[in-house]
């Protein structure tokens, strides 16, 4: 546990901090809403909250705080502003009964932390959590893609996935499609042990590759490819799945679910999302390239 005011041996993470404070400080909000409010009040005026989409509840469920978000918070951290935010909650809310509980929850070995300095110490703890995250190593392969992909690129990736899946879902006739020539043998080598999946991917690539490609490239020229951050994002997700799963159908279905989650679309878009996964199989971002 935390020793007095020394946070070098930090044992609490971002999710724990937010969730515990949420119980004590907030009456009418939960989880994600509180995270947005707290982080916004930790940043200098004019700096956008790095959690700017309503898709971050997973970071309150003991998953790693993405380092790019931690970097934004750390670089723009306003200690005085956050301290005033905490103090305003204590001063304006019905929180007197919670002060002792808060002190015991976060600083059980330091009896000197009281109402008068609790706001300052919570601010220090929040800052230590963010800095601690920047020093941590990401040990799970495929989980650290956000080290090199910016928040803007991630948002653009989400938008591209959403636009593409919705466009494929809306196709009403083969007249809207242009068949794409593929090597069936090549895909068979990528998926040698599941003929049904192999055949399904071949069909989807043949039918939908050209249409999908229109939504991933900005210049509609023959042979154009999606932006590097798009293909990198998909490949990193595949690599992460491959570390814990050898079954290609399970990986294919997991990537389908990943696209639906990113696009914030319901299950009725599942088949359209499968077409997008097949597209990335053809691009060799999903399933390994066979070696001769």
């Amino acid at each position: 546990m935390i020793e007095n005011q020394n946070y070098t041996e930090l044992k609490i993470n971002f999710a724990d901090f937010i969730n515990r404070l949420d119980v004590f400080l907030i009456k009418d909000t939960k989880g994600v809403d509180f995270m947005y409010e707290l982080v916004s009040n930790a940043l200098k005026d004019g700096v956008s909250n790095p959690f700017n989409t309503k898709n971050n509840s997973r970071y309150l469920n003991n998953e790693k705080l993405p380092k790019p978000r931690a970097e934004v918070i750390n670089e723009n951290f306003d200690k005085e502003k956050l301290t005033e935010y905490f103090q305003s909650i204590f001063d304006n809310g019905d929180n007197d009964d919670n002060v002792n509980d808060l002190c015991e929850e976060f600083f059980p070995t330091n009896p000197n932390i009281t109402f008068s300095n609790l706001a300052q110490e919570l601010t220090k703890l929040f800052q230590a959590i963010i800095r601690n995250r920047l020093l941590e190593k990401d040990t799970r392969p495929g989980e650290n893609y956000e080290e090199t992909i910016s928040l803007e690129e991630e948002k653009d990736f989400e938008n591209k996935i959403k636009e593409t899946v919705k466009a494929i879902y809306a196709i009403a006739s083969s007249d809207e499609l242009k068949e794409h020539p593929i090597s069936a043998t090549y895909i068979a080598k990528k998926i040698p042990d599941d003929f049904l999946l192999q055949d399904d991917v071949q069909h989807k690539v043949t039918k939908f590759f050209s249409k999908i490609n229109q939504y991933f490239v900005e210049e509609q020229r023959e042979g154009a490819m999606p932006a590097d951050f798009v293909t990198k994002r998909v490949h990193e997700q595949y690599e992460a799945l491959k570390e814990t799963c050898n079954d290609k159908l399970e990986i294919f279905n997991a990537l389908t679910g990943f696209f639906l989650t990113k696009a914030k679309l319901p299950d009725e878009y599942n088949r359209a999302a499968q077409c997008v996964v097949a597209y990335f199989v053809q691009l060799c971002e999903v399933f390994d390239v066979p070696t001769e």
Side-chain angles (χ1 to χ4, degrees):
M1 194 48 94
I2 301 164
E3 294 184 15
N4 298 329
Q5 293 173 289
N6 181 4
Y7 303 131
T8 57
E9 299 295 327
L10 194 63
K11 301 297 182 184
I12 185 172
N13 63 28
F14 179 78
D16 291 334
F17 185 73
I18 300 296
N19 287 325
R20 292 183 196 179
L21 279 178
D22 187 35
V23 173
F24 291 116
L25 302 184
I26 301 299
K27 300 291 186 181
D28 300 319
T29 65
K30 284 293 180 183
V32 175
D33 290 337
F34 178 56
M35 178 178 72
Y36 293 141
E37 183 176 359
L38 181 57
V39 173
S40 294
N41 279 280
L43 301 178
K44 299 172 184 175
D45 291 336
V47 177
S48 298
N49 188 328
F51 292 97
N52 56 4
T53 67
K54 292 289 184 180
N55 192 33
N56 292 295
S57 59
R58 63 194 181 99
Y59 302 128
L60 300 180
N61 198 24
N62 291 320
E63 293 200 23
K64 293 286 188 181
L65 173 68
K67 284 190 177 180
R69 288 165 169 77
E71 287 172 358
V72 170
I73 297 170
N74 185 60
E75 290 173 2
N76 297 281
F77 187 75
D78 190 327
K79 180 183 293 186
E80 183 177 349
K81 184 180 178 185
L82 184 59
T83 301
E84 290 177 354
Y85 169 68
F86 282 133
Q87 194 62 55
S88 69
I89 294 176
F90 300 151
D91 291 342
N92 299 327
D94 182 17
N95 290 288
D96 290 345
D97 294 337
N98 289 339
V99 172
N100 289 334
D101 291 335
L102 267 174
C103 290
E104 177 62 27
E105 184 76 18
F106 289 103
F107 313 102
T109 62
N110 190 347
N112 296 319
I113 294 180
T114 64
F115 179 83
S116 63
N117 62 6
L118 180 57
Q120 289 87 344
E121 294 306 318
L122 287 173
T123 299
K124 291 178 184 178
L125 181 54
F126 178 87
Q127 187 174 31
I129 290 168
I130 299 302
R131 288 180 174 173
N132 186 69
R133 177 66 185 104
L134 295 177
L135 296 174
E136 290 180 5
K137 292 183 178 179
D138 294 307
T139 57
R140 291 177 60 187
E143 292 284 316
N144 62 344
Y145 64 87
E146 289 180 281
E147 294 300 304
T148 55
I149 294 178
S150 70
L151 296 176
E152 292 77 15
E153 287 173 336
E154 179 71 1
K155 184 63 176 176
D156 197 16
F157 171 78
E158 294 172 1
N159 289 336
K160 286 181 180 296
I161 292 293
K162 184 173 184 176
E163 292 170 5
T164 304
V165 172
K166 291 181 72 174
I168 299 304
Y169 180 81
I171 291 175
S173 168
S174 294
D175 295 339
E176 301 178 46
L177 302 173
K178 175 184 177 182
E179 289 200 356
H180 176 74
I182 67 167
S183 170
T185 302
Y186 193 63
I187 288 183
K189 288 182 178 180
K190 286 186 178 182
I191 314 172
D193 50 358
D194 189 332
F195 174 74
L196 291 178
L197 178 61
Q198 175 193 129
D199 187 66
D200 191 31
V201 170
Q202 289 173 357
H203 173 76
K204 285 179 167 58
V205 170
T206 302
K207 282 288 187 181
F208 297 101
F209 183 92
S210 296
K211 192 71 172 178
I212 291 171
N213 206 49
Q214 293 179 11
Y215 295 94
F216 280 116
V217 297
E218 294 183 1
E219 296 181 35
Q220 305 306 316
R221 60 188 186 280
E222 186 175 354
M225 293 283 288
D228 287 344
F229 73 85
V230 173
T231 55
K232 179 179 177 64
R233 183 69 173 85
V234 175
H235 187 72
E236 292 281 5
Q237 186 68 19
Y238 163 66
E239 288 292 326
L241 290 167
K242 189 175 68 171
E243 287 295 319
T244 57
C245 180
N246 294 321
D247 187 277
K248 287 184 169 59
L249 180 59
E250 287 187 24
I251 292 175
F252 188 90
N253 289 336
L255 285 167
T256 300
F258 170 71
F259 285 158
L260 289 180
T261 299
K262 280 295 172 186
K264 303 179 183 63
L265 293 172
D267 288 343
E268 65 188 88
Y269 288 85
N270 188 74
R271 287 179 295 177
Q274 289 177 347
C275 294
V276 179
V277 177
Y279 168 83
F280 285 105
V281 172
Q282 174 69 0
L283 291 184
C284 300
E285 303 301 337
V286 176
F287 301 146
D288 296 325
V289 178
T291 56
E292 297 299 335

